[in-house]
Amino acid sequence: MTGTLVVGAGQAGVQLAVSLRESGDTMPITLMGAEPQLPYQRPPLSKGYLSGDTDADRLALRTSAFYADRGIELVTGERITGLDTGRAVTDRGREIAFDRLGLTVGARVRRLRVPGAALDGVHHLRDLADADRLRAALAGTGPVVVVGGGFIGLEAASVARAHGRPVTVVEATDRLLGRAVAPVVSAFYAAAHARRGVRVLLDTGVTALDGTAGRVRSVHLTGGGELPAALVLVGIGVEPRTELATGLGLACPGGIPVDLDARTALPSVVAAGDCTLQPHPTGGGHAPVRVESVQNAVHQATVAAATLAGVARPAPEVPWFWSDQADLKLQIAGLAAGADEIVVRGDPAAERFAALHYRDGRLQAVDAVNSPADFLVVRRALATGAELPASAARRTDRPLKELLIA
């Protein structure tokens, strides 16, 4: 009995190892992490940690003693570079044998593929080392250019403005957060950031970065424009880490494919977290999806653990996500892709509202800005199957919770 190897010590990896123990599994567990720190939370990196409100010692998911007490061998600062049937090789030349494998390898940032992208002063934000470098750089002076109007970019832009830095967000598409929220929410965030002093450029790409003595000084835009820049943050999304899975012979079209039990196509190999391509939570013939959220990583890891341990799969959960940008808290529940109707409750001008997504008359998701009550109601409705027709949701004279049809 050689045990279980979990590759990747992020939120999903830790949860997979812990859930195995909680299920009564007694096989040896090795949890491998490439970073030198204890496994830690990533969401605060672009929020409280970047702003200085959260210290590094508050990021750890568990203490060293926690893993030791549960018989989980935690190995940090060592990367798995190759996998074969029942055997892994690390970047230090060590071989690890295993019977069962959990791939919780996460995702890597997408790089800007333009001249000058490797200049000093150009930052990405995915891990603690990235956040440390960016936090130190934000304490300086001069204009900041954020390339990409997604969650990471907008959260970091808010922190930069709080430092008093001039900030410009450059987004290649026609709206902010375009893959995640309703158009009305995108328009709200563009206006809200502008009110807070952030310049937002939509439908604008980056063609090159220029520098002096190896350090970035300007950003060249499509159409011929140029922005001065003392610091550039590139936040153009992530791509799943699939190289270990493909090395095992798995086809990975945009992620590691898994079923509802987090199984891959290989016996005794499961996967969880940002690296996976999973069945759409609502079924209904939707294409498989990658869901980048802590909630999904944790839940999918508990499913993967149940599969390895041979116990019942936990009940499905509604995907949810949050983003803090200055004093604006966005909470999302459900998956909104394919929505054909949006119902807005509240007042975007007052910076407190919710956008409910419907498809073919059925509630799919909610984007709630500073509106936690509506977020919770929709999340509960999606979880329980309670109906909330669009015609009822338009009754803004009544609380949303009173409009549910059990």
PDB file of all heavy atoms in Angstrom, residues 186-206:
ATOM      1  N   SER A 186     -21.536  45.438 -15.979  1.00  0.00           N
ATOM      2  CA  SER A 186     -20.309  45.921 -16.614  1.00  0.00           C
ATOM      3  C   SER A 186     -20.319  47.441 -16.723  1.00  0.00           C
ATOM      4  O   SER A 186     -19.329  48.111 -16.398  1.00  0.00           O
ATOM      5  CB  SER A 186     -20.162  45.319 -18.014  1.00  0.00           C
ATOM      6  OG  SER A 186     -19.979  43.922 -17.965  1.00  0.00           O
ATOM      7  N   ALA A 187     -21.443  47.986 -17.195  1.00  0.00           N
ATOM      8  CA  ALA A 187     -21.545  49.443 -17.340  1.00  0.00           C
ATOM      9  C   ALA A 187     -21.448  50.133 -15.988  1.00  0.00           C
ATOM     10  O   ALA A 187     -20.825  51.198 -15.851  1.00  0.00           O
ATOM     11  CB  ALA A 187     -22.859  49.802 -18.024  1.00  0.00           C
ATOM     12  N   PHE A 188     -22.056  49.532 -14.969  1.00  0.00           N
ATOM     13  CA  PHE A 188     -21.979  50.102 -13.629  1.00  0.00           C
ATOM     14  C   PHE A 188     -20.535  50.184 -13.154  1.00  0.00           C
ATOM     15  O   PHE A 188     -20.098  51.217 -12.635  1.00  0.00           O
ATOM     16  CB  PHE A 188     -22.797  49.259 -12.650  1.00  0.00           C
ATOM     17  CG  PHE A 188     -22.462  49.562 -11.215  1.00  0.00           C
ATOM     18  CD1 PHE A 188     -22.982  50.683 -10.596  1.00  0.00           C
ATOM     19  CD2 PHE A 188     -21.589  48.745 -10.501  1.00  0.00           C
ATOM     20  CE1 PHE A 188     -22.653  50.988  -9.274  1.00  0.00           C
ATOM     21  CE2 PHE A 188     -21.256  49.039  -9.193  1.00  0.00           C
ATOM     22  CZ  PHE A 188     -21.789  50.165  -8.577  1.00  0.00           C
ATOM     23  N   TYR A 189     -19.775  49.092 -13.316  1.00  0.00           N
ATOM     24  CA  TYR A 189     -18.399  49.089 -12.826  1.00  0.00           C
ATOM     25  C   TYR A 189     -17.517  50.063 -13.595  1.00  0.00           C
ATOM     26  O   TYR A 189     -16.613  50.695 -13.020  1.00  0.00           O
ATOM     27  CB  TYR A 189     -17.820  47.674 -12.826  1.00  0.00           C
ATOM     28  CG  TYR A 189     -18.094  46.979 -11.519  1.00  0.00           C
ATOM     29  CD1 TYR A 189     -19.189  46.139 -11.371  1.00  0.00           C
ATOM     30  CD2 TYR A 189     -17.297  47.212 -10.407  1.00  0.00           C
ATOM     31  CE1 TYR A 189     -19.469  45.534 -10.157  1.00  0.00           C
ATOM     32  CE2 TYR A 189     -17.564  46.615  -9.191  1.00  0.00           C
ATOM     33  CZ  TYR A 189     -18.654  45.780  -9.062  1.00  0.00           C
ATOM     34  OH  TYR A 189     -18.938  45.213  -7.847  1.00  0.00           O
ATOM     35  N   ALA A 190     -17.754  50.214 -14.883  1.00  0.00           N
ATOM     36  CA  ALA A 190     -16.988  51.207 -15.646  1.00  0.00           C
ATOM     37  C   ALA A 190     -17.236  52.603 -15.092  1.00  0.00           C
ATOM     38  O   ALA A 190     -16.294  53.393 -14.876  1.00  0.00           O
ATOM     39  CB  ALA A 190     -17.360  51.144 -17.124  1.00  0.00           C
ATOM     40  N   ALA A 191     -18.504  52.921 -14.819  1.00  0.00           N
ATOM     41  CA  ALA A 191     -18.838  54.243 -14.282  1.00  0.00           C
ATOM     42  C   ALA A 191     -18.354  54.400 -12.849  1.00  0.00           C
ATOM     43  O   ALA A 191     -17.855  55.468 -12.453  1.00  0.00           O
ATOM     44  CB  ALA A 191     -20.346  54.461 -14.360  1.00  0.00           C
ATOM     45  N   ALA A 192     -18.485  53.340 -12.046  1.00  0.00           N
ATOM     46  CA  ALA A 192     -18.086  53.424 -10.635  1.00  0.00           C
ATOM     47  C   ALA A 192     -16.583  53.622 -10.497  1.00  0.00           C
ATOM     48  O   ALA A 192     -16.121  54.415  -9.668  1.00  0.00           O
ATOM     49  CB  ALA A 192     -18.531  52.169  -9.895  1.00  0.00           C
ATOM     50  N   HIS A 193     -15.809  52.919 -11.302  1.00  0.00           N
ATOM     51  CA  HIS A 193     -14.363  53.112 -11.240  1.00  0.00           C
ATOM     52  C   HIS A 193     -13.976  54.501 -11.742  1.00  0.00           C
ATOM     53  O   HIS A 193     -13.050  55.132 -11.202  1.00  0.00           O
ATOM     54  CB  HIS A 193     -13.646  52.023 -12.032  1.00  0.00           C
ATOM     55  CG  HIS A 193     -13.507  50.735 -11.287  1.00  0.00           C
ATOM     56  ND1 HIS A 193     -12.546  50.546 -10.319  1.00  0.00           N
ATOM     57  CD2 HIS A 193     -14.222  49.577 -11.335  1.00  0.00           C
ATOM     58  CE1 HIS A 193     -12.659  49.323  -9.821  1.00  0.00           C
ATOM     59  NE2 HIS A 193     -13.678  48.719 -10.410  1.00  0.00           N
ATOM     60  N   ALA A 194     -14.673  54.976 -12.764  1.00  0.00           N
ATOM     61  CA  ALA A 194     -14.398  56.330 -13.249  1.00  0.00           C
ATOM     62  C   ALA A 194     -14.673  57.370 -12.162  1.00  0.00           C
ATOM     63  O   ALA A 194     -13.909  58.329 -11.990  1.00  0.00           O
ATOM     64  CB  ALA A 194     -15.233  56.624 -14.490  1.00  0.00           C
ATOM     65  N   ARG A 195     -15.755  57.175 -11.405  1.00  0.00           N
ATOM     66  CA  ARG A 195     -16.055  58.104 -10.307  1.00  0.00           C
ATOM     67  C   ARG A 195     -14.969  58.092  -9.243  1.00  0.00           C
ATOM     68  O   ARG A 195     -14.758  59.086  -8.539  1.00  0.00           O
ATOM     69  CB  ARG A 195     -17.407  57.748  -9.668  1.00  0.00           C
ATOM     70  CG  ARG A 195     -18.616  58.075 -10.504  1.00  0.00           C
ATOM     71  CD  ARG A 195     -19.895  58.000  -9.699  1.00  0.00           C
ATOM     72  NE  ARG A 195     -20.213  56.650  -9.255  1.00  0.00           N
ATOM     73  CZ  ARG A 195     -20.920  55.773  -9.966  1.00  0.00           C
ATOM     74  NH1 ARG A 195     -21.370  56.100 -11.174  1.00  0.00           N
ATOM     75  NH2 ARG A 195     -21.185  54.567  -9.476  1.00  0.00           N
ATOM     76  N   ARG A 196     -14.278  56.981  -9.124  1.00  0.00           N
ATOM     77  CA  ARG A 196     -13.218  56.862  -8.119  1.00  0.00           C
ATOM     78  C   ARG A 196     -11.846  57.228  -8.675  1.00  0.00           C
ATOM     79  O   ARG A 196     -10.822  57.013  -8.031  1.00  0.00           O
ATOM     80  CB  ARG A 196     -13.221  55.436  -7.553  1.00  0.00           C
ATOM     81  CG  ARG A 196     -14.434  55.181  -6.640  1.00  0.00           C
ATOM     82  CD  ARG A 196     -14.712  53.716  -6.473  1.00  0.00           C
ATOM     83  NE  ARG A 196     -15.776  53.491  -5.499  1.00  0.00           N
ATOM     84  CZ  ARG A 196     -17.085  53.647  -5.751  1.00  0.00           C
ATOM     85  NH1 ARG A 196     -17.481  54.050  -6.966  1.00  0.00           N
ATOM     86  NH2 ARG A 196     -17.990  53.420  -4.806  1.00  0.00           N
ATOM     87  N   GLY A 197     -11.850  57.768  -9.880  1.00  0.00           N
ATOM     88  CA  GLY A 197     -10.614  58.293 -10.441  1.00  0.00           C
ATOM     89  C   GLY A 197      -9.854  57.357 -11.348  1.00  0.00           C
ATOM     90  O   GLY A 197      -8.716  57.654 -11.734  1.00  0.00           O
ATOM     91  N   VAL A 198     -10.436  56.220 -11.716  1.00  0.00           N
ATOM     92  CA  VAL A 198      -9.782  55.279 -12.622  1.00  0.00           C
ATOM     93  C   VAL A 198     -10.228  55.580 -14.051  1.00  0.00           C
ATOM     94  O   VAL A 198     -11.424  55.663 -14.330  1.00  0.00           O
ATOM     95  CB  VAL A 198     -10.131  53.818 -12.265  1.00  0.00           C
ATOM     96  CG1 VAL A 198      -9.527  52.853 -13.280  1.00  0.00           C
ATOM     97  CG2 VAL A 198      -9.652  53.481 -10.864  1.00  0.00           C
ATOM     98  N   ARG A 199      -9.274  55.742 -14.941  1.00  0.00           N
ATOM     99  CA  ARG A 199      -9.600  55.899 -16.358  1.00  0.00           C
ATOM    100  C   ARG A 199      -9.799  54.519 -16.970  1.00  0.00           C
ATOM    101  O   ARG A 199      -8.965  53.624 -16.784  1.00  0.00           O
ATOM    102  CB  ARG A 199      -8.466  56.627 -17.067  1.00  0.00           C
ATOM    103  CG  ARG A 199      -8.734  56.939 -18.535  1.00  0.00           C
ATOM    104  CD  ARG A 199      -7.499  57.574 -19.164  1.00  0.00           C
ATOM    105  NE  ARG A 199      -7.720  57.916 -20.559  1.00  0.00           N
ATOM    106  CZ  ARG A 199      -6.765  58.237 -21.407  1.00  0.00           C
ATOM    107  NH1 ARG A 199      -5.488  58.272 -20.979  1.00  0.00           N
ATOM    108  NH2 ARG A 199      -7.037  58.530 -22.669  1.00  0.00           N
ATOM    109  N   VAL A 200     -10.896  54.327 -17.660  1.00  0.00           N
ATOM    110  CA  VAL A 200     -11.218  53.035 -18.262  1.00  0.00           C
ATOM    111  C   VAL A 200     -11.261  53.184 -19.775  1.00  0.00           C
ATOM    112  O   VAL A 200     -12.022  54.004 -20.297  1.00  0.00           O
ATOM    113  CB  VAL A 200     -12.563  52.489 -17.742  1.00  0.00           C
ATOM    114  CG1 VAL A 200     -12.909  51.168 -18.435  1.00  0.00           C
ATOM    115  CG2 VAL A 200     -12.529  52.298 -16.231  1.00  0.00           C
ATOM    116  N   LEU A 201     -10.449  52.394 -20.469  1.00  0.00           N
ATOM    117  CA  LEU A 201     -10.430  52.381 -21.928  1.00  0.00           C
ATOM    118  C   LEU A 201     -10.934  51.031 -22.416  1.00  0.00           C
ATOM    119  O   LEU A 201     -10.295  50.000 -22.167  1.00  0.00           O
ATOM    120  CB  LEU A 201      -9.012  52.625 -22.454  1.00  0.00           C
ATOM    121  CG  LEU A 201      -8.321  53.922 -22.027  1.00  0.00           C
ATOM    122  CD1 LEU A 201      -6.911  53.984 -22.614  1.00  0.00           C
ATOM    123  CD2 LEU A 201      -9.133  55.136 -22.450  1.00  0.00           C
ATOM    124  N   LEU A 202     -12.089  51.037 -23.093  1.00  0.00           N
ATOM    125  CA  LEU A 202     -12.663  49.810 -23.635  1.00  0.00           C
ATOM    126  C   LEU A 202     -12.324  49.688 -25.118  1.00  0.00           C
ATOM    127  O   LEU A 202     -11.934  50.660 -25.761  1.00  0.00           O
ATOM    128  CB  LEU A 202     -14.173  49.807 -23.434  1.00  0.00           C
ATOM    129  CG  LEU A 202     -14.667  49.902 -21.983  1.00  0.00           C
ATOM    130  CD1 LEU A 202     -16.187  49.977 -21.952  1.00  0.00           C
ATOM    131  CD2 LEU A 202     -14.157  48.728 -21.156  1.00  0.00           C
ATOM    132  N   ASP A 203     -12.496  48.486 -25.658  1.00  0.00           N
ATOM    133  CA  ASP A 203     -12.189  48.236 -27.076  1.00  0.00           C
ATOM    134  C   ASP A 203     -10.779  48.696 -27.421  1.00  0.00           C
ATOM    135  O   ASP A 203     -10.529  49.239 -28.502  1.00  0.00           O
ATOM    136  CB  ASP A 203     -13.202  48.925 -27.985  1.00  0.00           C
ATOM    137  CG  ASP A 203     -14.556  48.253 -27.979  1.00  0.00           C
ATOM    138  OD1 ASP A 203     -14.591  47.012 -28.054  1.00  0.00           O
ATOM    139  OD2 ASP A 203     -15.569  48.960 -27.872  1.00  0.00           O
ATOM    140  N   THR A 204      -9.865  48.493 -26.510  1.00  0.00           N
ATOM    141  CA  THR A 204      -8.496  48.981 -26.688  1.00  0.00           C
ATOM    142  C   THR A 204      -7.507  47.869 -26.363  1.00  0.00           C
ATOM    143  O   THR A 204      -7.574  47.274 -25.283  1.00  0.00           O
ATOM    144  CB  THR A 204      -8.218  50.189 -25.771  1.00  0.00           C
ATOM    145  OG1 THR A 204      -9.194  51.215 -26.029  1.00  0.00           O
ATOM    146  CG2 THR A 204      -6.821  50.756 -26.023  1.00  0.00           C
ATOM    147  N   GLY A 205      -6.611  47.596 -27.284  1.00  0.00           N
ATOM    148  CA  GLY A 205      -5.589  46.586 -27.063  1.00  0.00           C
ATOM    149  C   GLY A 205      -4.230  47.199 -26.814  1.00  0.00           C
ATOM    150  O   GLY A 205      -4.034  48.414 -26.958  1.00  0.00           O
ATOM    151  N   VAL A 206      -3.284  46.357 -26.432  1.00  0.00           N
ATOM    152  CA  VAL A 206      -1.907  46.775 -26.192  1.00  0.00           C
ATOM    153  C   VAL A 206      -1.034  46.177 -27.287  1.00  0.00           C
ATOM    154  O   VAL A 206      -1.080  44.971 -27.541  1.00  0.00           O
ATOM    155  CB  VAL A 206      -1.423  46.317 -24.806  1.00  0.00           C
ATOM    156  CG1 VAL A 206       0.067  46.564 -24.637  1.00  0.00           C
ATOM    157  CG2 VAL A 206      -2.213  47.015 -23.711  1.00  0.00           C
TER     158      VAL A 206
END
